[in-house]
């Protein structure tokens, strides 16, 4: 079991890691000094470039005193966004391998994660430690002038990656994905260049900071671009646009569930400086996109990413005139191809397996537990993402869903997203997810789970909505694609980044 190191919220705690990020932090601190690097939307706390550099130096000093060297693994869990951000950058710049974890983890979950990571140290704030951190075999030295002897760490077998992240687990058990500092910086630079991040730009993100999107697209791309970023630990649609205006936000990082929630609130007042809202993590239904743009006046930039690619894979152009709604855009820093069952590239317009390649893509997964072995992530330089899609003649990628979500109904392939897009066109529908249910006659059949707006808003009860949805799918879908049942639920099971947990819905369908 690892040692616990608490984040001292009252004093700067910083780090130093691989030379690239360490050098980048120092350089930006000279160039931007007192300019805001990260701000917290709810509390108004800010960290300047100079502040982050100071905290990074404090982390380097702590690592040196504690005998932490490259190869040691440090799990990081903190509720306060600014403390998490400064610790992440500091620990990496100290040359350590950082494994970000959710501060919402319960004690058993946190213990299992630490065991799987074979972590040497847990850095946690009070929001994480209270009642949830396993106590056996751990101590909690202070970061500044710790009392008593410092913990003694076993020598690491070899230098490790800059970061270890867990995949979303959409295909089963989450994978442990190592990313080098070169990959992190390269991915962040591609985002900063594509999004036009520079001094004067201010982003906004309430995405979970233990996820690659918030870390690379948010924290690191902002640092690379010499820009600023407003962070919140939780997303709230209430007062959202007021906060965006207050901070002078120029771009917003969202997931589809957030977009849907904002569609049910009053739009912003005139005079926003927002250039675009970025949507990632899960497919965004065309109807939801169009409602958002019409309601807010802010264009949505659809993107596609994966932890294995250090974040972004494709993105639509920032120029709204050449975006293609429904597409996740063009490759950005990562090579993309679509292949058949024999892993041969298919022609434009043909449906197949989406594969990615290039130096930003991880080459291996780590096996959980002690030993720190790894296994290949792909073959011949290409990694199968598990997604199904097609590319048009101009290279824009369109996704149809996950390969393991495709429903085989009597030999006919049914893609859930196609059905969901139709259901979401109904103005009373908030969310929709379609999964397969076992059928003795056909093998599988589609079942739709739907959340709706309140009857007081729509003027419709669920019986009326069901009747209208059945007419809608009858008019717009072939017979084999029509759901055999529409189930109304109060909410869909989702992960921390807004992805629907379809396995849980399939379990409900089997009952």
């Amino acid at each position: 079991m690892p040692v616990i190191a608490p984040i001292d919220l009252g004093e700067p705690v910083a780090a130093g890691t691989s030379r690239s990020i360490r050098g980048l932090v120092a350089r930006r601190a000279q160039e931007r000094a007192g300019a805001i690097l990260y701000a917290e939307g709810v509390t108004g706390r800010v960290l300047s470039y100079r502040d982050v550099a100071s905290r990074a130096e404090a982390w380097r000093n702590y690592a040196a005193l504690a005998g932490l060297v490259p190869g040691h693994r440090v799990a990081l869990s903190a509720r306060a966004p600014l403390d998490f951000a400064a610790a992440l950058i500091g620990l990496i710049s100290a040359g350590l391998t950082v494994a970000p974890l959710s501060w919402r983890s319960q004690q058993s979950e946190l213990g299992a994660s630490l065991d799987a990571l074979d972590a040497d140290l847990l850095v946690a704030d009070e929001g994480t430690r209270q009642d949830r951190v396993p106590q056996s075999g751990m101590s909690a030295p202070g970061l500044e002038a710790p009392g008593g002897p410092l913990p003694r760490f076993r020598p690491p077998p070899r230098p490790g990656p800059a970061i270890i992240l867990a995949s979303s687990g959409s295909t089963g058990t989450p994978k442990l994905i190592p990313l080098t500092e070169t990959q992190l910086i390269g991915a962040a630079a591609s985002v900063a260049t594509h999004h036009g991040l520079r001094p004067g730009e201010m982003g906004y993100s309430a995405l979970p900071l233990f996820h690659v999107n918030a870390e690379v697209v948010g924290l690191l791309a902002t640092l690379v671009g010499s820009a600023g970023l407003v962070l919140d630990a939780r997303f709230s649609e209430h007062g959202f646009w007021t906060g965006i205006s207050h901070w002078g936000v120029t771009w917003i990082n969202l997931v589809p569930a957030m977009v849907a929630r904002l569609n049910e609130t009053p739009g912003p007042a005139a005079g926003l400086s927002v250039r675009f809202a970025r949507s990632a993590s899960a497919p965004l239904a065309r109807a939801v996109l169009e409602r958002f743009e019409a309601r807010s006046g802010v264009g949505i930039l659809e993107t596609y990413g994966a932890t294995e690619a250090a974040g972004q894979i494709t993105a639509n152009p920032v120029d709204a005139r050449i975006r293609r709604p429904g597409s996740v855009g063009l490759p950005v820093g990562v090579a993309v191809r679509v292949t058949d069952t024999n892993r041969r590239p298919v022609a434009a317009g043909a449906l197949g397996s989406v594969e990615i390649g290039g130096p930003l893509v991880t080459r291996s997964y780590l096996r959980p537990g002690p030993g720190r072995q790894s296994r290949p992530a792909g073959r011949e330089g290409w990694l199968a993402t598990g997604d199904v899609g097609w590319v048009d003649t101009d290279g824009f990628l369109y996704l149809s869903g996950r390969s393991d979500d495709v429903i085989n109904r009597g030999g006919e392939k049914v893609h859930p997203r196609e059905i969901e897009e139709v259901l979401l066109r109904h103005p009373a529908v908030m969310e929709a997810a379609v999964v397969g249910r076992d059928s003795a006659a056909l093998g599988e059949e589609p079942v739709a789970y739907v959340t709706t707006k309140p009857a007081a808003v729509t003027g419709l009860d669920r019986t009326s909505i069901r009747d209208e949805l059945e007419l809608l799918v009858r008019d717009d879908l072939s017979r084999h694609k029509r759901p055999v049942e529409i189930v109304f639920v109060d909410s869909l099971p989702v992960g921390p980044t807004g992805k629907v947990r379809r396995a849980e819905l399939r379990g409900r369908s089997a009952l």
Side-chain angles (χ1 to χ4, degrees):
M1 296 293 283
V3 176
I4 306 172
I7 289 181
D8 183 345
L9 300 181
E11 296 294 332
V13 292
T17 167
S18 76
R19 191 170 290 179
S20 295
I21 287 183
R22 178 175 177 175
L24 179 62
V25 169
R27 191 160 58 250
R28 292 290 183 265
Q30 285 186 328
E31 298 165 348
R32 304 282 287 149
I36 293 175
L37 175 52
Y38 305 127
E40 194 171 317
V42 172
T43 66
R45 290 177 63 203
V46 299
L47 286 179
S48 68
Y49 278 83
R50 185 190 298 115
D51 293 334
V52 173
S54 174
R55 292 193 176 205
E57 182 180 2
W59 273 117
R60 287 193 297 273
N61 292 339
Y62 174 77
L65 287 171
L68 291 166
V69 298
H72 277 130
R73 293 183 180 181
V74 180
L76 171 62
S77 179
R79 181 173 185 173
L82 299 194
D83 296 293
F84 185 105
L88 178 73
I89 290 174
L91 288 164
I92 293 176
S93 69
L96 306 175
T97 296
V98 186
L101 301 176
S102 172
W103 60 266
R104 296 186 179 94
S105 298
Q106 297 302 309
Q107 181 169 321
S108 59
E109 295 172 316
L110 189 56
S113 295
L114 296 174
D115 288 342
L117 290 164
D118 192 24
D120 299 291
L121 175 73
L122 171 63
V123 171
D125 65 4
E126 292 297 335
T128 298
R129 298 206 323 274
Q130 187 174 7
D131 299 327
R132 287 196 291 277
V133 174
Q135 296 299 315
S136 175
M138 298 186 178
S139 61
L143 287 176
E144 185 173 358
L150 284 165
R152 296 301 176 197
F153 299 97
R154 65 175 186 253
R158 63 183 65 87
I163 203 166
I164 298 174
L165 296 168
S167 69
S168 64
S170 56
T171 59
T173 303
K175 304 177 183 70
L176 297 181
I177 301 166
L179 294 169
T180 67
E181 190 172 9
T182 299
Q183 289 171 319
L184 293 174
I185 292 293
S190 71
V191 171
T193 300
H194 179 275
H195 289 7
L197 305 187
R198 56 180 65 88
E201 291 287 326
M202 182 67 72
Y204 175 85
S205 175
L207 302 182
L209 286 171
F210 58 87
H211 189 266
V212 69
N213 185 325
E215 293 161 0
V216 176
V217 176
L219 301 179
L220 294 181
T222 298
L223 177 64
V224 169
S226 298
L229 181 67
V230 180
L231 300 164
D232 275 326
R234 290 182 181 273
F235 172 79
S236 175
E237 65 270 35
H238 305 294
F240 177 85
W241 293 112
T242 301
I244 294 298
S245 176
H246 170 78
W247 287 101
V249 168
T250 59
W251 71 280
I252 307 169
N253 202 6
L254 299 171
V255 297
M258 295 174 179
V259 177
R261 285 167 62 179
L262 287 170
N263 281 347
E264 305 310 311
T265 63
L272 285 183
S273 54
V274 178
R275 295 187 292 119
F276 62 85
R278 181 185 191 277
S279 179
S281 181
L284 179 65
R286 180 77 173 264
V288 176
L289 179 152
E290 291 172 349
R291 284 181 211 163
F292 179 88
E293 293 187 336
R295 197 173 190 86
S296 68
V298 175
I300 286 190
L301 191 155
E302 294 174 84
T303 69
Y304 167 51
T307 308
E308 288 90 339
Q312 187 165 270
I313 296 172
T314 64
N316 264 276
V318 172
D319 187 341
R321 296 169 298 179
I322 51 178
R323 289 181 207 151
R324 299 194 180 177
S327 166
V328 292
L330 298 164
V332 180
V334 177
V336 178
R337 71 178 188 180
V338 178
T339 62
D340 60 20
T341 55
N342 295 313
R343 303 196 73 175
R344 295 176 301 199
V346 299
L351 203 63
S353 172
V354 178
E355 298 188 356
I356 57 176
L360 298 184
V361 178
T362 189
R363 290 288 179 262
S364 65
Y365 294 114
L366 299 179
R367 298 186 189 277
R372 307 189 177 186
Q373 315 100 318
S374 64
R375 53 194 170 90
R379 292 187 296 170
E380 300 171 356
W382 291 95
L383 172 67
T385 63
D387 293 307
V388 177
W390 57 279
V391 175
D392 68 17
T393 53
D394 294 320
F396 282 79
L397 177 65
Y398 296 77
L399 298 178
S400 298
R402 300 285 300 174
S403 59
D404 50 352
D405 292 334
V406 175
I407 301 164
N408 188 341
R409 189 179 191 185
E412 297 273 11
K413 299 297 176 64
V414 179
H415 293 271
R417 185 177 180 183
E418 186 176 359
I419 305 172
E420 293 161 4
E421 291 273 2
V422 173
L423 296 171
L424 285 163
R425 291 211 303 269
H426 193 288
V429 173
M430 284 279 290
E431 301 168 296
V434 174
V435 297
R437 180 174 69 189
D438 289 344
S439 166
L442 298 172
E444 286 184 296
E445 53 192 10
V447 176
Y449 289 85
V450 171
T451 68
T452 59
K453 301 173 188 176
V457 174
T458 64
L460 298 171
D461 59 25
R462 285 183 167 180
T463 299
S464 300
I465 295 172
R466 179 182 282 106
D467 291 342
E468 293 181 7
L469 289 176
E470 289 175 349
L471 286 174
L472 193 61
V473 298
R474 190 179 308 157
D475 289 342
D476 289 17
L477 295 172
S478 301
R479 182 180 295 275
H480 72 279
K481 297 177 182 177
R482 299 171 193 165
V484 297
E485 185 179 2
I486 297 174
V487 181
F488 292 105
V489 293
D490 293 332
S491 63
L492 295 177
V494 296
T497 59
K499 289 185 179 180
V500 175
R501 297 189 184 278
R502 294 181 187 270
E504 186 173 328
L505 290 179
R506 284 192 288 268
R508 293 185 194 178
S509 298
L511 297 177

